[in-house]
Amino acid sequence: MPQPLQYTLSSTYRGAPMAFYGPGVPLIRNDLVGALREAGVDNFELFDAVLKDPVTGQERHDYKAFNVLGLVAAADMDKSQRAPINLESEMIDVFFDSLVIDASKTQGLLMFRLAQSVDAIIVHERVKQAVEKQGVPGMVFYKPEDWSG
């Protein structure tokens, strides 16, 4: 993979939360990486990234491209409540109204993507506490039973 990955900040989001365009690889702030490491998370990859402002030409280097390693089928499908759409799906794109994680299936990982719904990143309570202690802005954590998606 060519590095650094190039991202362009949106010129229409002046003064608003940062928006960017670039490779289809998620970004993570360096302070969040520190919090994950402090919590003991080690199943992720980082790649150099540059975020460029198209108006000023200024570059930001406080983010990395990020990949979570670990796709784990840890949802208890009998106890979780599925949304009434796409009910035939069992993996990748299941929509939940309420999620129950089977802790015996997490393989001891502190963070992983949920195999049944890959847009969900599941984190252990220890990770949540480390991120909150670090004071990383913009992080929102949901209890599994409150998660919908």
Side-chain angles (χ1 to χ4, degrees), residues 76-109:
D76 185 323
M77 298 301 284
D78 293 328
K79 295 180 182 173
S80 296
Q81 294 178 7
R82 298 173 64 147
I85 57 172
N86 208 17
L87 290 175
E88 69 281 352
S89 181
E90 290 293 322
M91 287 290 180
I92 299 175
D93 62 351
V94 176
F95 286 89
F96 293 98
D97 281 336
S98 180
L99 175 63
V100 175
I101 297 294
D102 182 342
S104 71
K105 295 180 180 177
T106 65
Q107 304 171 26
L109 293 171

PDB file of all heavy atoms in Angstrom, residues 76-109:
ATOM      1  N   ASP A  76     -24.878 -13.006  20.297  1.00  0.00           N
ATOM      2  CA  ASP A  76     -25.765 -14.097  20.674  1.00  0.00           C
ATOM      3  C   ASP A  76     -27.045 -13.878  19.870  1.00  0.00           C
ATOM      4  O   ASP A  76     -27.879 -13.041  20.214  1.00  0.00           O
ATOM      5  CB  ASP A  76     -26.038 -14.072  22.173  1.00  0.00           C
ATOM      6  CG  ASP A  76     -26.862 -15.246  22.638  1.00  0.00           C
ATOM      7  OD1 ASP A  76     -27.782 -15.669  21.890  1.00  0.00           O
ATOM      8  OD2 ASP A  76     -26.614 -15.740  23.754  1.00  0.00           O
ATOM      9  N   MET A  77     -27.167 -14.613  18.788  1.00  0.00           N
ATOM     10  CA  MET A  77     -28.273 -14.388  17.856  1.00  0.00           C
ATOM     11  C   MET A  77     -29.627 -14.775  18.440  1.00  0.00           C
ATOM     12  O   MET A  77     -30.653 -14.268  17.998  1.00  0.00           O
ATOM     13  CB  MET A  77     -28.016 -15.135  16.549  1.00  0.00           C
ATOM     14  CG  MET A  77     -26.755 -14.659  15.816  1.00  0.00           C
ATOM     15  SD  MET A  77     -26.784 -12.903  15.401  1.00  0.00           S
ATOM     16  CE  MET A  77     -27.895 -12.912  14.014  1.00  0.00           C
ATOM     17  N   ASP A  78     -29.647 -15.653  19.443  1.00  0.00           N
ATOM     18  CA  ASP A  78     -30.912 -16.033  20.073  1.00  0.00           C
ATOM     19  C   ASP A  78     -31.412 -14.968  21.037  1.00  0.00           C
ATOM     20  O   ASP A  78     -32.619 -14.783  21.195  1.00  0.00           O
ATOM     21  CB  ASP A  78     -30.765 -17.366  20.808  1.00  0.00           C
ATOM     22  CG  ASP A  78     -30.530 -18.533  19.861  1.00  0.00           C
ATOM     23  OD1 ASP A  78     -31.045 -18.483  18.724  1.00  0.00           O
ATOM     24  OD2 ASP A  78     -29.827 -19.473  20.256  1.00  0.00           O
ATOM     25  N   LYS A  79     -30.485 -14.251  21.676  1.00  0.00           N
ATOM     26  CA  LYS A  79     -30.870 -13.244  22.669  1.00  0.00           C
ATOM     27  C   LYS A  79     -30.910 -11.827  22.106  1.00  0.00           C
ATOM     28  O   LYS A  79     -31.558 -10.955  22.684  1.00  0.00           O
ATOM     29  CB  LYS A  79     -29.914 -13.309  23.863  1.00  0.00           C
ATOM     30  CG  LYS A  79     -30.016 -14.614  24.631  1.00  0.00           C
ATOM     31  CD  LYS A  79     -29.045 -14.628  25.793  1.00  0.00           C
ATOM     32  CE  LYS A  79     -29.125 -15.969  26.535  1.00  0.00           C
ATOM     33  NZ  LYS A  79     -28.072 -16.078  27.560  1.00  0.00           N
ATOM     34  N   SER A  80     -30.215 -11.583  21.014  1.00  0.00           N
ATOM     35  CA  SER A  80     -30.225 -10.261  20.396  1.00  0.00           C
ATOM     36  C   SER A  80     -31.553 -10.043  19.690  1.00  0.00           C
ATOM     37  O   SER A  80     -32.202 -10.996  19.259  1.00  0.00           O
ATOM     38  CB  SER A  80     -29.086 -10.143  19.385  1.00  0.00           C
ATOM     39  OG  SER A  80     -27.831 -10.240  20.013  1.00  0.00           O
ATOM     40  N   GLN A  81     -31.950  -8.781  19.581  1.00  0.00           N
ATOM     41  CA  GLN A  81     -33.172  -8.434  18.862  1.00  0.00           C
ATOM     42  C   GLN A  81     -32.790  -7.862  17.507  1.00  0.00           C
ATOM     43  O   GLN A  81     -32.083  -6.858  17.435  1.00  0.00           O
ATOM     44  CB  GLN A  81     -33.998  -7.423  19.647  1.00  0.00           C
ATOM     45  CG  GLN A  81     -34.542  -7.959  20.934  1.00  0.00           C
ATOM     46  CD  GLN A  81     -35.308  -6.897  21.702  1.00  0.00           C
ATOM     47  OE1 GLN A  81     -35.536  -5.798  21.225  1.00  0.00           O
ATOM     48  NE2 GLN A  81     -35.701  -7.241  22.914  1.00  0.00           N
ATOM     49  N   ARG A  82     -33.243  -8.514  16.462  1.00  0.00           N
ATOM     50  CA  ARG A  82     -32.941  -8.064  15.120  1.00  0.00           C
ATOM     51  C   ARG A  82     -33.985  -7.058  14.645  1.00  0.00           C
ATOM     52  O   ARG A  82     -35.157  -7.161  14.983  1.00  0.00           O
ATOM     53  CB  ARG A  82     -32.908  -9.259  14.187  1.00  0.00           C
ATOM     54  CG  ARG A  82     -31.813 -10.246  14.568  1.00  0.00           C
ATOM     55  CD  ARG A  82     -31.888 -11.475  13.757  1.00  0.00           C
ATOM     56  NE  ARG A  82     -31.647 -11.130  12.360  1.00  0.00           N
ATOM     57  CZ  ARG A  82     -31.047 -11.921  11.500  1.00  0.00           C
ATOM     58  NH1 ARG A  82     -30.649 -13.109  11.880  1.00  0.00           N
ATOM     59  NH2 ARG A  82     -30.861 -11.556  10.266  1.00  0.00           N
ATOM     60  N   ALA A  83     -33.540  -6.108  13.868  1.00  0.00           N
ATOM     61  CA  ALA A  83     -34.471  -5.164  13.243  1.00  0.00           C
ATOM     62  C   ALA A  83     -35.276  -5.921  12.187  1.00  0.00           C
ATOM     63  O   ALA A  83     -34.794  -6.904  11.627  1.00  0.00           O
ATOM     64  CB  ALA A  83     -33.705  -4.017  12.615  1.00  0.00           C
ATOM     65  N   PRO A  84     -36.494  -5.485  11.915  1.00  0.00           N
ATOM     66  CA  PRO A  84     -37.359  -6.218  10.984  1.00  0.00           C
ATOM     67  C   PRO A  84     -37.001  -6.008   9.506  1.00  0.00           C
ATOM     68  O   PRO A  84     -37.866  -6.055   8.651  1.00  0.00           O
ATOM     69  CB  PRO A  84     -38.755  -5.678  11.297  1.00  0.00           C
ATOM     70  CG  PRO A  84     -38.515  -4.324  11.833  1.00  0.00           C
ATOM     71  CD  PRO A  84     -37.196  -4.382  12.557  1.00  0.00           C
ATOM     72  N   ILE A  85     -35.736  -5.784   9.215  1.00  0.00           N
ATOM     73  CA  ILE A  85     -35.281  -5.696   7.820  1.00  0.00           C
ATOM     74  C   ILE A  85     -34.160  -6.696   7.629  1.00  0.00           C
ATOM     75  O   ILE A  85     -33.420  -7.012   8.563  1.00  0.00           O
ATOM     76  CB  ILE A  85     -34.801  -4.269   7.461  1.00  0.00           C
ATOM     77  CG1 ILE A  85     -33.685  -3.811   8.403  1.00  0.00           C
ATOM     78  CG2 ILE A  85     -35.934  -3.282   7.475  1.00  0.00           C
ATOM     79  CD1 ILE A  85     -33.039  -2.512   8.001  1.00  0.00           C
ATOM     80  N   ASN A  86     -34.065  -7.220   6.457  1.00  0.00           N
ATOM     81  CA  ASN A  86     -32.974  -8.126   6.108  1.00  0.00           C
ATOM     82  C   ASN A  86     -32.868  -9.299   7.087  1.00  0.00           C
ATOM     83  O   ASN A  86     -31.775  -9.667   7.502  1.00  0.00           O
ATOM     84  CB  ASN A  86     -31.663  -7.336   6.054  1.00  0.00           C
ATOM     85  CG  ASN A  86     -30.667  -7.942   5.101  1.00  0.00           C
ATOM     86  OD1 ASN A  86     -31.024  -8.759   4.255  1.00  0.00           O
ATOM     87  ND2 ASN A  86     -29.422  -7.549   5.227  1.00  0.00           N
ATOM     88  N   LEU A  87     -33.983  -9.887   7.462  1.00  0.00           N
ATOM     89  CA  LEU A  87     -34.008 -10.926   8.490  1.00  0.00           C
ATOM     90  C   LEU A  87     -33.328 -12.227   8.078  1.00  0.00           C
ATOM     91  O   LEU A  87     -33.007 -13.045   8.931  1.00  0.00           O
ATOM     92  CB  LEU A  87     -35.444 -11.206   8.919  1.00  0.00           C
ATOM     93  CG  LEU A  87     -36.109 -10.084   9.718  1.00  0.00           C
ATOM     94  CD1 LEU A  87     -37.574 -10.424   9.979  1.00  0.00           C
ATOM     95  CD2 LEU A  87     -35.384  -9.843  11.024  1.00  0.00           C
ATOM     96  N   GLU A  88     -33.122 -12.425   6.790  1.00  0.00           N
ATOM     97  CA  GLU A  88     -32.494 -13.672   6.368  1.00  0.00           C
ATOM     98  C   GLU A  88     -30.971 -13.649   6.542  1.00  0.00           C
ATOM     99  O   GLU A  88     -30.321 -14.688   6.516  1.00  0.00           O
ATOM    100  CB  GLU A  88     -32.848 -14.006   4.909  1.00  0.00           C
ATOM    101  CG  GLU A  88     -32.245 -13.081   3.872  1.00  0.00           C
ATOM    102  CD  GLU A  88     -32.971 -11.752   3.711  1.00  0.00           C
ATOM    103  OE1 GLU A  88     -34.054 -11.561   4.289  1.00  0.00           O
ATOM    104  OE2 GLU A  88     -32.438 -10.879   3.009  1.00  0.00           O
ATOM    105  N   SER A  89     -30.388 -12.484   6.724  1.00  0.00           N
ATOM    106  CA  SER A  89     -28.935 -12.371   6.852  1.00  0.00           C
ATOM    107  C   SER A  89     -28.461 -12.868   8.215  1.00  0.00           C
ATOM    108  O   SER A  89     -29.105 -12.627   9.229  1.00  0.00           O
ATOM    109  CB  SER A  89     -28.511 -10.919   6.660  1.00  0.00           C
ATOM    110  OG  SER A  89     -27.118 -10.807   6.749  1.00  0.00           O
ATOM    111  N   GLU A  90     -27.350 -13.557   8.233  1.00  0.00           N
ATOM    112  CA  GLU A  90     -26.756 -14.041   9.485  1.00  0.00           C
ATOM    113  C   GLU A  90     -25.360 -13.475   9.717  1.00  0.00           C
ATOM    114  O   GLU A  90     -24.823 -13.566  10.804  1.00  0.00           O
ATOM    115  CB  GLU A  90     -26.678 -15.574   9.489  1.00  0.00           C
ATOM    116  CG  GLU A  90     -28.031 -16.250   9.606  1.00  0.00           C
ATOM    117  CD  GLU A  90     -28.714 -16.014  10.944  1.00  0.00           C
ATOM    118  OE1 GLU A  90     -28.036 -15.992  11.985  1.00  0.00           O
ATOM    119  OE2 GLU A  90     -29.944 -15.845  10.950  1.00  0.00           O
ATOM    120  N   MET A  91     -24.741 -12.937   8.682  1.00  0.00           N
ATOM    121  CA  MET A  91     -23.389 -12.396   8.788  1.00  0.00           C
ATOM    122  C   MET A  91     -23.263 -11.113   7.984  1.00  0.00           C
ATOM    123  O   MET A  91     -24.016 -10.871   7.044  1.00  0.00           O
ATOM    124  CB  MET A  91     -22.338 -13.400   8.272  1.00  0.00           C
ATOM    125  CG  MET A  91     -22.102 -14.567   9.174  1.00  0.00           C
ATOM    126  SD  MET A  91     -21.251 -14.037  10.672  1.00  0.00           S
ATOM    127  CE  MET A  91     -21.116 -15.595  11.496  1.00  0.00           C
ATOM    128  N   ILE A  92     -22.332 -10.318   8.348  1.00  0.00           N
ATOM    129  CA  ILE A  92     -21.869  -9.106   7.686  1.00  0.00           C
ATOM    130  C   ILE A  92     -22.822  -7.923   7.841  1.00  0.00           C
ATOM    131  O   ILE A  92     -22.424  -6.870   8.276  1.00  0.00           O
ATOM    132  CB  ILE A  92     -21.538  -9.324   6.197  1.00  0.00           C
ATOM    133  CG1 ILE A  92     -20.421 -10.363   6.060  1.00  0.00           C
ATOM    134  CG2 ILE A  92     -21.119  -8.018   5.529  1.00  0.00           C
ATOM    135  CD1 ILE A  92     -20.099 -10.745   4.635  1.00  0.00           C
ATOM    136  N   ASP A  93     -24.099  -8.082   7.481  1.00  0.00           N
ATOM    137  CA  ASP A  93     -24.995  -6.920   7.425  1.00  0.00           C
ATOM    138  C   ASP A  93     -26.268  -7.073   8.246  1.00  0.00           C
ATOM    139  O   ASP A  93     -27.309  -6.543   7.895  1.00  0.00           O
ATOM    140  CB  ASP A  93     -25.340  -6.604   5.978  1.00  0.00           C
ATOM    141  CG  ASP A  93     -26.083  -7.737   5.282  1.00  0.00           C
ATOM    142  OD1 ASP A  93     -26.189  -8.842   5.850  1.00  0.00           O
ATOM    143  OD2 ASP A  93     -26.563  -7.517   4.153  1.00  0.00           O
ATOM    144  N   VAL A  94     -26.179  -7.780   9.370  1.00  0.00           N
ATOM    145  CA  VAL A  94     -27.345  -7.926  10.237  1.00  0.00           C
ATOM    146  C   VAL A  94     -27.622  -6.574  10.910  1.00  0.00           C
ATOM    147  O   VAL A  94     -26.711  -5.908  11.390  1.00  0.00           O
ATOM    148  CB  VAL A  94     -27.108  -9.009  11.318  1.00  0.00           C
ATOM    149  CG1 VAL A  94     -28.283  -9.087  12.281  1.00  0.00           C
ATOM    150  CG2 VAL A  94     -26.844 -10.359  10.667  1.00  0.00           C
ATOM    151  N   PHE A  95     -28.885  -6.180  10.935  1.00  0.00           N
ATOM    152  CA  PHE A  95     -29.296  -4.973  11.655  1.00  0.00           C
ATOM    153  C   PHE A  95     -29.918  -5.407  12.974  1.00  0.00           C
ATOM    154  O   PHE A  95     -30.818  -6.244  12.995  1.00  0.00           O
ATOM    155  CB  PHE A  95     -30.309  -4.168  10.828  1.00  0.00           C
ATOM    156  CG  PHE A  95     -29.693  -3.447   9.682  1.00  0.00           C
ATOM    157  CD1 PHE A  95     -29.566  -4.067   8.453  1.00  0.00           C
ATOM    158  CD2 PHE A  95     -29.228  -2.150   9.824  1.00  0.00           C
ATOM    159  CE1 PHE A  95     -28.995  -3.409   7.381  1.00  0.00           C
ATOM    160  CE2 PHE A  95     -28.649  -1.478   8.767  1.00  0.00           C
ATOM    161  CZ  PHE A  95     -28.528  -2.114   7.537  1.00  0.00           C
ATOM    162  N   PHE A  96     -29.426  -4.818  14.046  1.00  0.00           N
ATOM    163  CA  PHE A  96     -29.926  -5.148  15.376  1.00  0.00           C
ATOM    164  C   PHE A  96     -30.686  -3.975  15.955  1.00  0.00           C
ATOM    165  O   PHE A  96     -30.306  -2.818  15.779  1.00  0.00           O
ATOM    166  CB  PHE A  96     -28.764  -5.466  16.324  1.00  0.00           C
ATOM    167  CG  PHE A  96     -28.014  -6.717  15.989  1.00  0.00           C
ATOM    168  CD1 PHE A  96     -26.827  -6.664  15.277  1.00  0.00           C
ATOM    169  CD2 PHE A  96     -28.478  -7.960  16.397  1.00  0.00           C
ATOM    170  CE1 PHE A  96     -26.126  -7.818  14.962  1.00  0.00           C
ATOM    171  CE2 PHE A  96     -27.786  -9.118  16.094  1.00  0.00           C
ATOM    172  CZ  PHE A  96     -26.598  -9.047  15.374  1.00  0.00           C
ATOM    173  N   ASP A  97     -31.755  -4.271  16.678  1.00  0.00           N
ATOM    174  CA  ASP A  97     -32.418  -3.273  17.515  1.00  0.00           C
ATOM    175  C   ASP A  97     -31.811  -3.301  18.905  1.00  0.00           C
ATOM    176  O   ASP A  97     -31.828  -2.309  19.628  1.00  0.00           O
ATOM    177  CB  ASP A  97     -33.918  -3.529  17.598  1.00  0.00           C
ATOM    178  CG  ASP A  97     -34.658  -3.035  16.365  1.00  0.00           C
ATOM    179  OD1 ASP A  97     -34.145  -2.122  15.680  1.00  0.00           O
ATOM    180  OD2 ASP A  97     -35.746  -3.553  16.085  1.00  0.00           O
ATOM    181  N   SER A  98     -31.297  -4.442  19.302  1.00  0.00           N
ATOM    182  CA  SER A  98     -30.623  -4.620  20.587  1.00  0.00           C
ATOM    183  C   SER A  98     -29.666  -5.797  20.419  1.00  0.00           C
ATOM    184  O   SER A  98     -30.038  -6.834  19.878  1.00  0.00           O
ATOM    185  CB  SER A  98     -31.641  -4.905  21.691  1.00  0.00           C
ATOM    186  OG  SER A  98     -30.999  -5.080  22.931  1.00  0.00           O
ATOM    187  N   LEU A  99     -28.456  -5.618  20.892  1.00  0.00           N
ATOM    188  CA  LEU A  99     -27.406  -6.607  20.684  1.00  0.00           C
ATOM    189  C   LEU A  99     -26.990  -7.215  22.012  1.00  0.00           C
ATOM    190  O   LEU A  99     -26.823  -6.510  23.003  1.00  0.00           O
ATOM    191  CB  LEU A  99     -26.203  -5.919  20.028  1.00  0.00           C
ATOM    192  CG  LEU A  99     -24.940  -6.723  19.811  1.00  0.00           C
ATOM    193  CD1 LEU A  99     -25.180  -7.877  18.847  1.00  0.00           C
ATOM    194  CD2 LEU A  99     -23.844  -5.805  19.273  1.00  0.00           C
ATOM    195  N   VAL A 100     -26.802  -8.534  22.025  1.00  0.00           N
ATOM    196  CA  VAL A 100     -26.256  -9.234  23.185  1.00  0.00           C
ATOM    197  C   VAL A 100     -24.973  -9.913  22.719  1.00  0.00           C
ATOM    198  O   VAL A 100     -24.987 -10.675  21.748  1.00  0.00           O
ATOM    199  CB  VAL A 100     -27.243 -10.278  23.746  1.00  0.00           C
ATOM    200  CG1 VAL A 100     -26.599 -11.069  24.887  1.00  0.00           C
ATOM    201  CG2 VAL A 100     -28.523  -9.594  24.226  1.00  0.00           C
ATOM    202  N   ILE A 101     -23.882  -9.610  23.406  1.00  0.00           N
ATOM    203  CA  ILE A 101     -22.581 -10.206  23.088  1.00  0.00           C
ATOM    204  C   ILE A 101     -22.386 -11.447  23.942  1.00  0.00           C
ATOM    205  O   ILE A 101     -22.607 -11.416  25.158  1.00  0.00           O
ATOM    206  CB  ILE A 101     -21.432  -9.205  23.356  1.00  0.00           C
ATOM    207  CG1 ILE A 101     -21.559  -7.980  22.455  1.00  0.00           C
ATOM    208  CG2 ILE A 101     -20.072  -9.869  23.184  1.00  0.00           C
ATOM    209  CD1 ILE A 101     -21.379  -8.247  20.982  1.00  0.00           C
ATOM    210  N   ASP A 102     -21.969 -12.525  23.316  1.00  0.00           N
ATOM    211  CA  ASP A 102     -21.610 -13.748  24.025  1.00  0.00           C
ATOM    212  C   ASP A 102     -20.127 -13.650  24.347  1.00  0.00           C
ATOM    213  O   ASP A 102     -19.274 -13.844  23.470  1.00  0.00           O
ATOM    214  CB  ASP A 102     -21.906 -14.966  23.149  1.00  0.00           C
ATOM    215  CG  ASP A 102     -21.603 -16.282  23.832  1.00  0.00           C
ATOM    216  OD1 ASP A 102     -20.851 -16.296  24.837  1.00  0.00           O
ATOM    217  OD2 ASP A 102     -22.101 -17.320  23.352  1.00  0.00           O
ATOM    218  N   ALA A 103     -19.803 -13.318  25.595  1.00  0.00           N
ATOM    219  CA  ALA A 103     -18.408 -13.090  26.014  1.00  0.00           C
ATOM    220  C   ALA A 103     -17.520 -14.299  25.766  1.00  0.00           C
ATOM    221  O   ALA A 103     -16.313 -14.147  25.541  1.00  0.00           O
ATOM    222  CB  ALA A 103     -18.368 -12.687  27.485  1.00  0.00           C
ATOM    223  N   SER A 104     -18.089 -15.497  25.744  1.00  0.00           N
ATOM    224  CA  SER A 104     -17.281 -16.695  25.511  1.00  0.00           C
ATOM    225  C   SER A 104     -16.789 -16.782  24.067  1.00  0.00           C
ATOM    226  O   SER A 104     -15.901 -17.583  23.769  1.00  0.00           O
ATOM    227  CB  SER A 104     -18.071 -17.955  25.876  1.00  0.00           C
ATOM    228  OG  SER A 104     -19.108 -18.195  24.933  1.00  0.00           O
ATOM    229  N   LYS A 105     -17.345 -15.951  23.185  1.00  0.00           N
ATOM    230  CA  LYS A 105     -16.955 -15.990  21.777  1.00  0.00           C
ATOM    231  C   LYS A 105     -16.034 -14.842  21.368  1.00  0.00           C
ATOM    232  O   LYS A 105     -15.674 -14.731  20.198  1.00  0.00           O
ATOM    233  CB  LYS A 105     -18.204 -15.965  20.892  1.00  0.00           C
ATOM    234  CG  LYS A 105     -19.073 -17.197  21.048  1.00  0.00           C
ATOM    235  CD  LYS A 105     -20.279 -17.102  20.161  1.00  0.00           C
ATOM    236  CE  LYS A 105     -21.167 -18.336  20.320  1.00  0.00           C
ATOM    237  NZ  LYS A 105     -22.387 -18.220  19.504  1.00  0.00           N
ATOM    238  N   THR A 106     -15.627 -13.994  22.307  1.00  0.00           N
ATOM    239  CA  THR A 106     -14.827 -12.821  21.956  1.00  0.00           C
ATOM    240  C   THR A 106     -13.345 -13.117  21.794  1.00  0.00           C
ATOM    241  O   THR A 106     -12.579 -12.228  21.420  1.00  0.00           O
ATOM    242  CB  THR A 106     -14.987 -11.704  23.013  1.00  0.00           C
ATOM    243  OG1 THR A 106     -14.446 -12.165  24.247  1.00  0.00           O
ATOM    244  CG2 THR A 106     -16.443 -11.293  23.159  1.00  0.00           C
ATOM    245  N   GLN A 107     -12.932 -14.336  22.068  1.00  0.00           N
ATOM    246  CA  GLN A 107     -11.538 -14.759  21.925  1.00  0.00           C
ATOM    247  C   GLN A 107     -10.590 -13.932  22.790  1.00  0.00           C
ATOM    248  O   GLN A 107      -9.404 -13.830  22.504  1.00  0.00           O
ATOM    249  CB  GLN A 107     -11.102 -14.703  20.457  1.00  0.00           C
ATOM    250  CG  GLN A 107     -11.977 -15.506  19.530  1.00  0.00           C
ATOM    251  CD  GLN A 107     -11.667 -15.265  18.073  1.00  0.00           C
ATOM    252  OE1 GLN A 107     -10.567 -14.898  17.706  1.00  0.00           O
ATOM    253  NE2 GLN A 107     -12.660 -15.476  17.224  1.00  0.00           N
ATOM    254  N   GLY A 108     -11.128 -13.301  23.825  1.00  0.00           N
ATOM    255  CA  GLY A 108     -10.302 -12.495  24.714  1.00  0.00           C
ATOM    256  C   GLY A 108      -9.855 -11.173  24.119  1.00  0.00           C
ATOM    257  O   GLY A 108      -9.048 -10.461  24.722  1.00  0.00           O
ATOM    258  N   LEU A 109     -10.361 -10.827  22.948  1.00  0.00           N
ATOM    259  CA  LEU A 109      -9.974  -9.571  22.310  1.00  0.00           C
ATOM    260  C   LEU A 109     -10.618  -8.391  23.027  1.00  0.00           C
ATOM    261  O   LEU A 109     -11.769  -8.465  23.452  1.00  0.00           O
ATOM    262  CB  LEU A 109     -10.386  -9.566  20.841  1.00  0.00           C
ATOM    263  CG  LEU A 109      -9.647 -10.553  19.948  1.00  0.00           C
ATOM    264  CD1 LEU A 109     -10.301 -10.622  18.566  1.00  0.00           C
ATOM    265  CD2 LEU A 109      -8.184 -10.151  19.819  1.00  0.00           C
TER     266      LEU A 109
END
